[in-house]
Amino acid sequence: MKKTEKKCAAMACAAVCVAILPISSDMTVSAVELQPVQVLALGDDCLAGASDGTSAVEIVADYLGGEAVNDAKVGTTTADLVSSLTSDSTVQAHVAAADVILVSVGVNDLMEAVFYDNPYLTSVSSQTTLSGLINAMPSSQALNVTSYVIDVLPDTVETINANLQQTVTLIRQKNPVANIVIQTVPNPIAIDFDQWNGVVSDNRQAATVELYYYLNACILGGSYESQYLKNSDLEIETGINQAIENLDRVAVADFYDAFVGADGEDGLSFYLTDIANLNMTFTPVGQVLLAAAAIGADAQLGDGDGSVITAAYDATSERSTLSSTRSALHRMITAVESNTKVTYALGDVDGNGAIDIQDAYQTLQVYSSMSVGFAPDFGPLQRRAADADGTGDLGIYDAYRILLYYSTQASGGTPSWE
């Protein structure tokens, strides 16, 4: 196309913009600041951060060149999360502003049902370690402990599943476009029993194994029949992780399998979490794994700086250990650390280094889909690039500003967001 024709086409584009979007005195193309991607963590111990300050939400935010807000708290249950989303104005504001929302919740509900609310475990509330908790189980009450667990777990799972659905609904009411990534629930007592030899009696270890399989039924669905006690079978129609996988418009970071380990491998609770001290706060290497799982779960998070993951992984000094003993976990990290960050600029929605009609068209296309309830096809970096008016939302005016910028440039003018 000749230069004159390009200029005419650009002027025509601008004319169309003016025709479909009447300009008022306060609708000027003023300067906007390109806001960083906002990454929010909600839920329980898993995302609350390690003792050294390492947290999965910080790693994901760094990976996207953004900012992190961590509203996850140790001890949070699904009911607690629903309550905060319903009534906590600070949490609600954080949800509304977020581009990416990481959620981990459910494990504390199970711990409460099995241990802390169990009337046959009368001294567990004073325990500060998992070994102490298991040793507090009276052998004479083993049948009653198990019977109680079998009675309450089906309702517990049903409540958890309902609260998870409510969690997503409440998030979407405040923020219809954020990327939501929900971690599957790991089994808190997927532990290496070899570390307990001489610390916990054999019969109590056997009881803990039973509880592990009961929890597995809750998490995965299905049934488990006691190997030691008659008439002690548990059946769960829809497991917690099945319910998570059935949620609409969320990405699922499936951490369960890697956490529990393959057949013949020891469970990793003691290695990846602080469950030995009765919370599920993840260790530094566990935080890296949580971040890698979250990023790998959502294709829209693929445009990030993998070197951030490399640095976080190397800082744990666990790379050689994981690469030789847990190849699945190692691959989870290396798959993400190979990503190359896409540098984006305001208006350059497709990231090709130029601002043109296609950027405006893509913005309009995604806005149209969102306006009728569909999830955006843009990742968080693209959404920031398309937010040409800096309001945090996508709309017709964003496309107008991008097209006006392009038409000014194509007609020989000097474009500016000023």
Side-chain angles (χ1 to χ4, degrees):
M1 184 182 289
K2 296 179 181 179
K3 184 175 180 179
T4 302
E5 292 173 331
K6 286 184 177 180
K7 182 175 181 178
C8 290
M11 292 178 69
C13 287
V16 169
C17 285
V18 173
I20 64 172
L21 292 171
I23 306 298
S24 64
S25 59
D26 61 348
M27 194 173 180
T28 56
V29 185
S30 58
V32 295
E33 181 181 356
L34 187 60
Q35 299 295 322
V37 171
Q38 303 293 307
V39 184
L40 171 66
L42 296 174
D44 57 23
D45 316 31
C46 301
L47 290 173
S51 57
D52 71 343
T54 305
S55 71
V57 65
E58 291 279 359
I59 295 171
V60 174
D62 290 345
Y63 166 86
L64 293 171
E67 297 176 348
V69 176
N70 199 340
D71 285 335
K73 297 178 181 178
V74 172
T76 296
T77 64
T78 56
D80 294 331
L81 182 53
V82 168
S83 177
S84 66
L85 288 167
T86 303
S87 59
D88 189 323
S89 59
T90 299
V91 171
Q92 291 173 341
H94 290 165
V95 168
D99 296 289
V100 180
I101 300 175
L102 311 180
V103 180
S104 177
V105 73
V107 71
N108 287 316
D109 300 65
L110 295 175
M111 289 292 286
E112 284 188 1
V114 171
F115 293 109
Y116 296 109
D117 293 339
N118 195 317
Y120 301 101
L121 300 177
T122 55
S123 64
V124 297
S125 60
S126 62
Q127 302 302 319
T128 58
T129 65
L130 184 60
S131 59
L133 182 69
I134 300 304
N135 277 322
M137 295 172 59
S139 299
S140 60
Q141 295 289 345
L143 180 59
N144 289 330
V145 168
T146 305
S147 297
Y148 174 81
V149 166
I150 292 170
D151 286 342
V152 302
L153 282 181
D155 288 342
T156 299
V157 171
E158 188 173 333
T159 298
I160 292 171
N161 293 349
N163 286 340
L164 285 166
Q165 179 62 68
Q166 182 69 354
T167 292
V168 174
T169 299
L170 290 168
I171 290 173
R172 285 296 178 213
Q173 287 174 354
K174 291 294 181 182
N175 189 329
V177 301
N179 294 63
I180 301 176
V181 182
I182 299 186
Q183 300 277 358
T184 54
V185 176
N187 192 321
I189 49 177
I191 53 181
D192 178 2
F193 284 99
D194 289 341
Q195 298 185 34
W196 273 5
N197 290 335
V199 178
V200 175
S201 63
D202 290 344
N203 66 323
R204 289 189 173 92
Q205 286 192 37
T208 306
V209 171
E210 289 274 282
L211 293 176
Y212 165 82
Y213 283 113
Y214 285 127
L215 288 178
N216 256 10
C218 294
I219 293 168
L220 302 180
S223 61
Y224 175 71
E225 183 175 354
S226 173
Q227 302 299 304
Y228 304 100
L229 303 172
K230 294 181 179 180
N231 302 318
S232 297
D233 57 326
L234 172 71
E235 186 165 353
I236 302 294
E237 182 176 350
T238 303
I240 299 166
N241 287 350
Q242 292 174 308
I244 290 174
E245 291 168 357
N246 291 335
L247 293 169
D248 291 332
R249 294 180 57 199
V250 302
V252 179
D254 188 4
F255 202 69
Y256 173 86
D257 289 336
F259 185 88
V260 171
D263 289 342
E265 293 181 339
D266 291 323
L268 284 175
S269 279
F270 288 157
Y271 179 63
L272 294 180
T273 76
D274 197 29
I275 190 61
N277 294 316
L278 290 179
N279 71 58
M280 284 290 287
T281 303
F282 272 56
T283 61
V285 70
Q287 297 291 339
V288 178
L289 288 163
L290 287 173
I295 294 166
D298 189 341
Q300 289 189 342
L301 303 184
D303 295 335
D305 185 357
S307 68
V308 168
I309 305 299
T310 297
Y313 193 13
D314 289 341
T316 67
S317 301
E318 299 287 352
R319 180 184 290 271
S320 61
T321 300
L322 278 187
S323 62
S324 60
T325 61
R326 294 293 178 125
S327 59
L329 296 179
H330 179 69
R331 286 195 302 271
M332 188 184 298
I333 298 176
T334 55
V336 174
E337 68 177 351
S338 63
N339 291 345
T340 302
K341 185 176 181 64
V342 175
T343 301
Y344 71 104
L346 191 62
D348 183 15
V349 178
D350 57 14
N352 68 354
I355 298 173
D356 52 29
I357 293 175
Q358 184 65 21
D359 295 305
Y361 171 74
Q362 287 192 11
T363 301
L364 276 177
Q365 188 178 45
V366 172
Y367 162 70
S368 298
S369 296
M370 288 166 48
S371 65
V372 293
F374 290 102
D377 293 328
F378 284 178
L381 297 178
Q382 286 179 296
R383 290 199 291 274
R384 286 299 183 185
D387 183 20
D389 62 5
T391 62
D393 300 315
L394 289 185
I396 294 176
Y397 188 46
D398 294 304
Y400 165 78
R401 286 174 61 92
I402 293 170
L403 197 53
L404 183 59
Y405 186 101
Y406 160 71
S407 62
T408 301
Q409 176 178 259
S411 62
T414 303
S416 172
W417 297 112
E418 296 288 344

